[in-house]
Amino acid sequence: QKDDSQRLLESFNSDEREHTLMKSKAEPYISEEEMVLEESESPLNSNVTAFALKAKVIYPINQKFRPLADGSSNPSLHENPKQAVLPNQVMETSTSGSLGSLSQGDKEDCSSSTTIHSTTSDDRFQARAFLKVTSFPEVLTYESFDVKLCLCSLTLKDLMLLDTELRKEKHVMVIQILKICVTDFYHKKKITDDLFKKFLLIQEKDFEELQTQLESRLQNTEMSGAHNSEYQTLEDLERKEREYSEHVIDNMETFWKQTDKAQQAFLDESKCSSAKATKIMMDLTEKMIAVESLLSESQDLQAMDIQDRLFNWELTVKMIDSLKSYIPEECKCRLNIVSNILDHLTVKNNLSVRQKEELLTDLHKAFWEQLAHFSNECIQQSKDLILKRLDSCAKKKEDFKHRQKAEQGSLLSKTFHNEDVHDFLKAYHELLEKHRQAQWELEEEDDCESTEAIADLYKELYAKASHALVELVAELFLQTLPLVTGLSVRECELLKEEWQENLVPQLEKWETHCQRRWKLFQEQLLQEKQLWMKEYALSAVMQKHLSEKQEKIIQGVVSRLGCLSDESVNYILQKHRLLLCSVLRRLTLRRVGMAALARMRLSRKKSLLQELRQQHILQKGSSPCQDEDQWQLQKALESHILEEEEKLEEETQQTHLEFHQQLVTEIQEALQFLQQHMEQVIGQTLLQHARREARKKSSDDGQDFKERLVEAAVESVYGTSNNINRLVQNYYQELGKITEGYEEKKLQQLKSLQVERSERNRLKKKQESELALKEKQTKGLLSVSSAVHQRMVLQQKKVLAQFELQQQIRLESLKQKLLGLHHLETELENQLKEAEQDFVRELAVLARVRVAVNKKPSKRSKLLGWYNPELRKTFQTPESAGKDDSHENIQEPTRLASGSCR
């Protein structure tokens, strides 16, 4: 027997090399070193496994090496071995590989999943290749541990498709808003026909070019690193998602710049007044905020639907896997009972051991060959079926898209007025929501029908396998055993009936086992769903916090400007709200994608840990009374589970931290774009405000009146040098008194502000001392394990509180100082204006010029001009004489006084 086993092992080495070559074809992205390491780690390459695979027999898993199987134990090597898991081993198997391993032709598909890996291969998981799928029905034909990766990749694909659809919808809506606004101006004859057509043509061309540019970048990202179009790695997927997010953020920035440019070009061409232009821009911004609100609500709902569909997919895949595994497991139960009956005959000396083993070997060989043949047919039929269904579904989707495009074009071709914009936005959004829902239902229906078709194929396979096994067992009992054992046909029929009777409790036991496994899987999936809901709620809280923080910042910036009108302030706040909604909507979807990527990265360890937990629970519940060896194995399994849980927790925290840091970086980049854009908006608003003030100054300057007054005073014969000098000196003295009073009041106010600031500093120090006292009290309550972390958190809160308090005190002090100085300057301006008007009146009296002067200057005036509307109406120039003498006496002092007043 030893010589025969060695000969079998030698002949198996050549088959093993062929198997390794086929495995290298199935995993093109795994290097030779990885394969060598994985195979060296795998117990499947042990002598026991090699011999059993070659001989195609059944043997006890924990039994020592034996060249022939005696049929006393039931596990089959044609499916994944359920060995007792040692502390340094992790099972990477799945029940989905049970049927796939029956056929040599399917080893290429499942070779990457039927290997037992140790934890040393974790660092290579990201570079591990898995199939690139485009729809869920394809996954049903893919038998591998990497099925969960395929499902998550489909989720990322759906999220990307959702983002693309919403972005196109936003572009169409914004363009239509601009078009409706421009059309309204055109109908009111405020712009020409050429300008109207030119503007629409330019904007449509620019936005189309923007979309083409984005699609080109995304296509380059998709093609980069694609050495094999059929496979992808998690590392490539993470890189593509990151680059996709960067391109979308850049496109969003360019889009809003293009939108602002279009608005400004339209307002410049329409030659609107400043107030009218501000009102139009506020109206457009308000409508765009409504667009972002609609898209944000739709995105949140559909993202949750996509996540729910992922959990439904996992349930469906698990159901199909259970159906696949049920076939060989039930057949093992049937063969087990046959083996027990033959053992009983061997004990009664009706059969020799060699005869029994020969009978079992022939039975197993015949049955497993038939099952492998049936399995190959079933797998091929399922693949052909899925291909046909995918082709049919693709044609349906194509026809569906044509109808959708026609409906959208019909709606866009309708004429909407400016007051009907919100009705258009609602109608267009509802139409696209209806189309998306119909598309979703079409995909759900196709997934359901494909799943039912695959399930029917495996039910048919189950029927064929059961029928084949019944025939083989009947042949064994009714034809072979009477010849070998000498038993009568009736006795053999009784043995067959005994086989059928013993089969019922075994099948019931296996059914209970399957139900427990299914219940455990549902509980684990529910836990993952609850964890996802918790992360989604945390994301919503972070988004709300970020939104409130950014709104607080922009309100602080606007409040410090202080010189803008209420309309300008509202426009700035609206513009900021619009851009912030757009940025947060994109970041929310990016966070959902990152959660899917994190789940993919942790899927291997989670699946292995779930297998260990299921194995532990099932073993613990199946045998309440355990011997010493079983108890030791149970304890080793429990310690291994605890070890893997700690590793999973550590890797989970590390993965979440890595993705969180990446998300924070992308948030900072997006907020930097927001800040730069808002700086431009505020700068343009300030520039428009300065231009309005400049126009107001030029209108309030009264330069014409000053020149006419000087000319009249020069021509007057009543003004002498002494009179003019005395008048100017009195005016200078009055200015000196006013200035001196202003300086005294200013100094007094600054002193009072200094006192108030000192009082605030005293209160601040008091609060700091109270905070320090509370911190000492809190430190005393901290445990040793959490002391460091809690101290860091408390110190961070303390520094932030001190900074906010100091900033608030500083801003309040500056604000009060600014208000006080502004009040004093207004009072000074009024006094100077009054003195100026007195000087003008006295000069007019001296020169015998009739003029009316308003003694109450405007408090809003910031200039010391000479403007008074009544002066232009009542100014009269009398006959004058002695121009040569009076010119020398009056011209210089008058211009000096004028300069001092200015």
Side-chain angles (χ1 to χ4, degrees), residues 611-826:
E611 289 287 338
L612 291 176
R613 287 172 177 170
Q614 287 183 0
Q615 182 180 353
H616 175 256
I617 293 175
L618 294 175
Q619 286 182 0
K620 193 174 181 180
S622 60
S623 55
C625 300
Q626 298 177 346
D627 56 17
E628 183 65 22
D629 293 337
Q630 291 176 336
W631 185 82
Q632 290 292 342
L633 289 175
Q634 198 80 4
K635 286 297 180 182
L637 183 59
E638 290 176 358
S639 63
H640 182 50
I641 290 175
L642 292 176
E643 181 183 353
E644 289 299 319
E645 285 178 347
E646 293 177 357
K647 291 181 179 180
L648 176 61
E649 181 66 23
E650 181 181 356
E651 186 174 347
T652 301
Q653 292 181 359
Q654 183 179 358
T655 302
H656 287 174
L657 178 60
E658 180 180 344
F659 280 110
H660 179 72
Q661 291 175 346
Q662 184 177 341
L663 181 63
V664 168
T665 303
E666 295 184 10
I667 289 175
Q668 291 175 347
E669 294 176 354
L671 293 181
Q672 185 178 2
F673 141 69
L674 177 63
Q675 178 181 348
Q676 292 175 354
H677 199 91
M678 288 309 302
E679 285 175 356
Q680 296 178 0
V681 172
I682 294 175
Q684 292 175 356
T685 306
L686 290 174
L687 182 59
Q688 293 174 0
H689 173 75
R691 287 173 178 172
R692 286 196 298 268
E693 290 295 325
R695 286 194 295 267
K696 183 178 178 181
K697 175 182 176 181
S698 62
S699 62
D700 291 351
D701 200 10
Q703 185 66 29
D704 295 340
F705 170 72
K706 288 187 285 185
E707 293 178 356
R708 294 170 63 184
L709 179 59
V710 171
E711 183 180 355
V714 169
E715 293 176 354
S716 177
V717 296
Y718 300 102
T720 63
S721 177
N722 293 332
N723 294 337
I724 296 299
N725 288 334
R726 186 173 63 254
L727 184 61
V728 172
Q729 288 177 1
N730 293 336
Y731 178 61
Y732 282 166
Q733 290 176 1
E734 185 66 21
L735 291 181
K737 291 178 182 180
I738 294 173
T739 306
E740 184 178 355
Y742 167 74
E743 293 294 338
E744 290 177 358
K745 291 180 181 180
K746 180 179 177 181
L747 181 61
Q748 183 178 359
Q749 186 169 9
L750 291 177
K751 287 181 179 180
S752 62
L753 290 175
Q754 183 67 29
V755 172
E756 293 179 3
R757 186 175 182 181
S758 301
E759 181 65 20
R760 289 194 187 93
N761 289 332
R762 186 183 66 81
L763 293 176
K764 183 192 72 172
K765 291 181 180 179
K766 183 179 179 181
Q767 292 179 357
E768 289 179 355
S769 62
E770 292 177 356
L771 289 174
L773 181 61
K774 289 182 180 179
E775 183 181 357
K776 289 181 180 179
Q777 294 175 354
T778 308
K779 282 182 180 179
L781 300 175
L782 293 176
S783 61
V784 178
S785 60
S786 62
V788 177
H789 177 69
Q790 292 291 338
R791 282 201 300 270
M792 290 176 62
V793 174
L794 290 175
Q795 184 66 19
Q796 183 183 18
K797 292 181 178 179
K798 178 182 176 182
V799 172
L800 290 175
Q802 290 177 354
F803 173 75
E804 291 180 358
L805 183 60
Q806 291 175 0
Q807 188 182 30
Q808 185 178 1
I809 292 175
R810 188 180 298 109
L811 290 177
E812 288 293 332
S813 177
L814 291 174
K815 189 177 294 184
Q816 289 188 2
K817 182 179 178 181
L818 179 63
L819 291 175
L821 293 178
H822 179 69
H823 177 71
L824 290 177
E825 288 174 359
T826 303

Side-chain angles (χ1 to χ4, degrees), residues 171-187 191 196-197 199-201 203-204 207 259 262-263 266 284 287-288 409 411-418 421 424:
H171 287 188
V172 172
M173 285 182 169
V174 170
I175 292 175
Q176 285 298 118
I177 290 173
L178 293 175
K179 184 177 180 180
I180 292 173
C181 182
V182 175
T183 305
D184 185 66
F185 266 67
Y186 172 69
H187 289 158
I191 57 175
F196 171 70
K197 294 180 179 179
F199 177 81
L200 293 181
L201 184 62
Q203 299 313 316
E204 290 179 359
F207 284 114
T259 304
Q263 294 180 24
F266 164 68
L284 291 174
K287 293 170 183 175
M288 293 177 187
L411 179 60
L412 293 175
S413 63
K414 294 181 180 179
T415 302
F416 291 92
H417 300 289
N418 201 20
V421 172
F424 161 73

Side-chain angles (χ1 to χ4, degrees), residues 319-335:
M319 184 267 293
I320 295 295
D321 285 346
S322 299
L323 192 59
K324 293 177 183 178
S325 64
Y326 191 82
I327 299 172
E329 289 294 337
E330 181 179 332
C331 294
K332 284 196 305 182
C333 292
R334 295 172 184 265
L335 293 173

Side-chain angles (χ1 to χ4, degrees), residues 538-550 584:
L538 178 61
S539 174
V541 171
M542 291 180 62
Q543 180 177 346
K544 182 179 178 181
H545 169 72
L546 185 61
S547 177
E548 292 176 351
K549 183 178 179 181
Q550 289 298 314
L584 291 180

Side-chain angles (χ1 to χ4, degrees), residues 503-591:
L503 184 62
V504 175
Q506 291 293 330
L507 293 181
E508 290 179 352
K509 182 178 179 181
W510 170 246
E511 185 69 26
T512 304
H513 179 82
C514 291
Q515 291 178 358
R516 291 181 63 189
R517 287 179 64 91
W518 179 255
K519 185 177 180 181
L520 287 174
F521 175 78
Q522 288 180 320
E523 291 175 355
Q524 292 165 356
L525 197 62
L526 181 60
Q527 291 177 359
E528 288 191 13
K529 191 172 184 179
Q530 292 174 348
L531 179 61
W532 178 81
M533 293 298 294
K534 183 179 178 180
E535 291 178 353
Y536 192 84
L538 178 61
S539 174
V541 171
M542 291 180 62
Q543 180 177 346
K544 182 179 178 181
H545 169 72
L546 185 61
S547 177
E548 292 176 351
K549 183 178 179 181
Q550 289 298 314
E551 289 182 357
K552 184 178 179 181
I553 290 175
I554 192 64
Q555 288 175 356
V557 171
V558 172
S559 64
R560 293 176 198 177
L561 294 176
C563 61
L564 298 176
S565 62
D566 293 341
E567 292 79 7
S568 298
V569 170
N570 290 334
Y571 169 69
I572 291 175
L573 295 178
Q574 276 191 346
K575 195 70 176 179
H576 180 267
R577 193 176 300 117
L578 170 63
L579 298 179
L580 184 61
C581 288
S582 182
V583 168
L584 291 180
R585 186 170 62 83
R586 172 58 209 157
L587 292 176
T588 300
L589 202 61
R590 172 62 171 152
R591 183 179 178 85

Side-chain angles (χ1 to χ4, degrees), residues 44 77 152 176 187 241 314 316 458 469 484 538 554 594 620 658 694 766 824 833 837 898:
L44 285 177
L77 279 177
C152 289
Q176 285 298 118
H187 289 158
E241 285 289 318
E314 292 192 19
T316 303
Y458 281 100
L469 183 58
V484 175
L538 178 61
I554 192 64
M594 283 186 173
K620 193 174 181 180
E658 180 180 344
K766 183 179 179 181
L824 290 177
K833 189 71 174 180
Q837 291 181 353
S898 176

